[in-house]
Amino acid sequence: MSAPDPHLSDDSAAPAAVPQPQPLWQKIGEGAMALCLAVMALAVFINVVLRYGFGSGVAASEELSRLLFVWMVFIGATAAYPLGQHMAFNSLLLPLRRKPLALTLITSLIRVAVIVAASLVAWGAWQQVRVGMDSQSVVLGYSNALLPLPALLSSVAIALMALWELCRQQPLDLAHESDVE
């Protein structure tokens, strides 16, 4: 008789796990992304109807949609980090599960790399924020610093989360291994 496949669940073996309530930061992040998406969809829909139905349009629709899209992407990137939902190459780390010292060292190296990369993004975004402070968007007139600002905030937040995980020596979540197979 062959051994059962560990990737297949046996519903009769264990009771279903009770889902944990979402943390407040996650609810706020998802709500902000949903609001950005709803406003973008509404603005584009109204613009399309006006443009094709009546030969006019709302000039601010494109600018508003672009600004909200940028904010939505970086809110999502920030919210995804603590959940372990960013791209990972867990299959490269799986052989190290039985070598705790090596896995701890690689985990620390990964966290340092995340901090360095996020710091570089933050530095570049800060440069863009400074440049954008002196100019306004063409139609809506908002400061062009609002476009790179979410990249700055997101990268600082991700760097701080990675630093916190590094200081706490939090192990990597390798539970996503079956998601890629």
Side-chain angles (χ1 to χ4, degrees), residues 85-107:
Q85 294 178 340
H86 279 271
M87 181 181 281
F89 298 98
N90 293 349
S91 60
L92 299 174
L93 298 173
L94 291 178
L96 297 177
R97 283 190 293 193
R98 293 194 174 94
K99 299 176 183 174
L101 180 60
L103 187 57
T104 301
L105 289 173
I106 293 295
T107 299

Side-chain angles (χ1 to χ4, degrees), residues 27-71:
K27 289 179 183 178
I28 291 171
E30 289 178 0
M33 288 188 300
L35 182 63
C36 287
L37 186 60
V39 172
M40 282 177 10
L42 183 64
V44 170
F45 175 75
I46 289 171
N47 200 34
V48 167
V49 169
L50 288 175
R51 188 168 288 163
Y52 292 107
F54 303 101
S56 67
V58 180
S61 173
E62 291 177 28
E63 246 181 40
L64 179 64
S65 295
R66 181 178 62 238
L67 179 66
L68 291 174
F69 181 74
V70 170
W71 276 87

Side-chain angles (χ1 to χ4, degrees), residues 158-169:
I158 289 173
L160 289 173
M161 287 185 276
L163 180 63
W164 177 253
E165 292 170 346
L166 179 65
C167 291
R168 291 181 50 220
Q169 294 184 344

Side-chain angles (χ1 to χ4, degrees), residues 106-164:
I106 293 295
T107 299
S108 297
L109 182 64
I110 289 169
R111 298 264 160 71
V112 168
V114 167
I115 293 167
V116 168
S119 299
L120 291 172
V121 171
W123 176 252
W126 171 245
Q127 298 300 314
Q128 291 299 309
V129 167
R130 287 183 39 215
V131 168
M133 285 183 192
D134 297 330
S135 62
Q136 306 293 319
S137 72
V138 177
V139 178
L140 290 175
Y142 60 79
S143 171
N144 280 334
L146 286 177
L147 278 170
L149 183 62
L152 173 65
L153 298 175
S154 175
S155 56
V156 167
I158 289 173
L160 289 173
M161 287 185 276
L163 180 63
W164 177 253

